[in-house]
Amino acid sequence: MNPKDNQEKHKEDHQEQQANESILLAAEQFVRQALEREYTGHDWQHIRRVTQTAKAIAREEQANLFICELAALLHDIADAKLNASEAAGLQKVRSWLEHNNVHPQHAAHVMEIISTMSFKGGGGKPMSTLEGEIVQDADRLDAIGAIGIARTFAYAGAKGHLLHDPNVRPRTEMTEAEYRSGESTAVHHFYEKLLKLKDLMNTAYGKKLAETRHQFMLAYLEQFYAEWDSEC
């Protein structure tokens, strides 16, 4: 590459970086406004944590940082729990990407990640790209450990679910519809989802981060049951 071509390439890279930074800033503002006062544990602070974790894993795994950050920022805008339907949520994200002139290839990648990363009762298909695996890991890491426990009880309270019912067993076999709308309790959610996530991590770094959080949940449940059955 001659010096002139090298200068042109450097200029193009710089322009692309500036454009990406503007898109990420706009996404952050959009999501913050949409979810800042969301009370089910899918709020702006959840998005902020997932985004930071996704960036950390992306650096470890040498993935596309822009795609990981953008998908992490936008992932809950499409969540079926926060929209009339999954299709409506996905269209909301698609419209935002088009309105903000995100490159079609990047937009398609982000849409593919967001549309397939949800747990859905454990029946979702595997992520098809490294970036998708990273964003899914980051989201799942925020569902476990101390923060995950807090979010579980916040969601249960927001949805009117019981704290615990020892006379009802956790569900083991569920369709996606049953997972979304069936009756459960906050404590059952540990067995129906949270305790499964450690073994569903995609990346080596995600697996490492999940181990400590998983052990914390086991210790928490042990203490919970001891206090629940206490007679003193």
Side-chain angles (χ1 to χ4, degrees):
M1 182 180 292
N2 63 48
K4 185 176 181 180
D5 289 340
N6 190 47
Q7 288 177 351
E8 286 297 318
K9 179 65 167 57
H10 179 75
K11 181 179 179 181
E12 290 174 3
D13 289 346
H14 180 67
Q15 290 173 338
E16 181 181 4
Q17 182 179 357
Q18 286 186 314
N20 288 348
E21 289 174 355
S22 295
I23 289 168
L24 292 171
L25 180 59
E28 180 178 326
Q29 293 171 340
F30 169 63
V31 176
R32 183 192 289 266
Q33 184 176 21
L35 300 179
E36 195 158 29
R37 301 189 68 79
E38 211 290 317
Y39 297 114
T40 67
H42 300 82
D43 57 0
W44 163 247
Q45 292 301 324
H46 162 66
I47 300 297
R48 180 189 60 78
R49 290 190 302 270
V50 170
T51 301
Q52 291 301 109
T53 302
K55 289 165 64 177
I57 300 175
R59 293 188 184 100
E60 287 285 331
E61 302 291 337
Q62 299 183 344
N64 186 310
L65 191 61
F66 172 69
I67 294 295
C68 290
E69 186 170 356
L70 185 58
L73 283 168
L74 294 172
H75 79 277
D76 270 346
I77 293 295
D79 196 305
K81 296 185 290 296
L82 308 180
N83 290 280
S85 67
E86 183 178 20
L90 290 171
Q91 182 55 46
K92 192 183 297 184
V93 176
R94 189 177 294 110
S95 297
W96 187 91
L97 293 168
E98 292 174 357
H99 179 74
N100 286 271
N101 299 314
V102 177
H103 190 285
Q105 185 177 353
H106 292 163
H109 194 171
V110 168
M111 290 302 302
E112 191 275 335
I113 291 171
I114 292 174
S115 65
T116 56
M117 64 181 281
S118 180
F119 180 70
K120 296 182 179 179
K125 67 179 183 179
M127 305 304 292
S128 63
T129 67
L130 175 59
E131 288 74 21
E133 291 181 339
I134 287 168
V135 178
Q136 187 177 62
D137 277 4
D139 189 39
R140 288 177 170 178
L141 283 164
D142 207 57
I144 61 178
I147 291 292
I149 291 170
R151 292 180 64 224
T152 295
F153 288 110
Y155 184 82
K159 296 298 182 179
H161 295 168
L162 291 175
L163 182 73
H164 179 46
D165 184 347
N167 297 314
V168 178
R169 297 182 64 82
R171 299 168 295 174
T172 55
E173 299 292 333
M174 295 173 285
T175 64
E176 181 183 346
E178 289 169 338
Y179 173 72
R180 293 291 189 199
S181 59
E183 288 298 319
S184 187
T185 70
V187 170
H188 284 172
H189 190 60
F190 284 83
Y191 301 98
E192 294 170 357
K193 177 182 178 180
L194 307 188
L195 293 174
K196 299 177 180 181
L197 295 182
K198 175 179 71 72
D199 293 330
L200 295 176
M201 290 291 159
N202 302 295
T203 65
Y205 194 50
K207 294 177 194 288
K208 178 181 177 181
L209 295 175
E211 185 62 43
T212 300
R213 301 186 189 204
H214 181 82
Q215 294 303 321
F216 185 88
M217 290 192 300
L218 292 176
Y220 173 83
L221 286 171
E222 183 178 352
Q223 181 67 21
F224 180 93
Y225 292 130
E227 294 182 15
W228 185 272
D229 294 326
S230 175
E231 295 182 359
C232 58

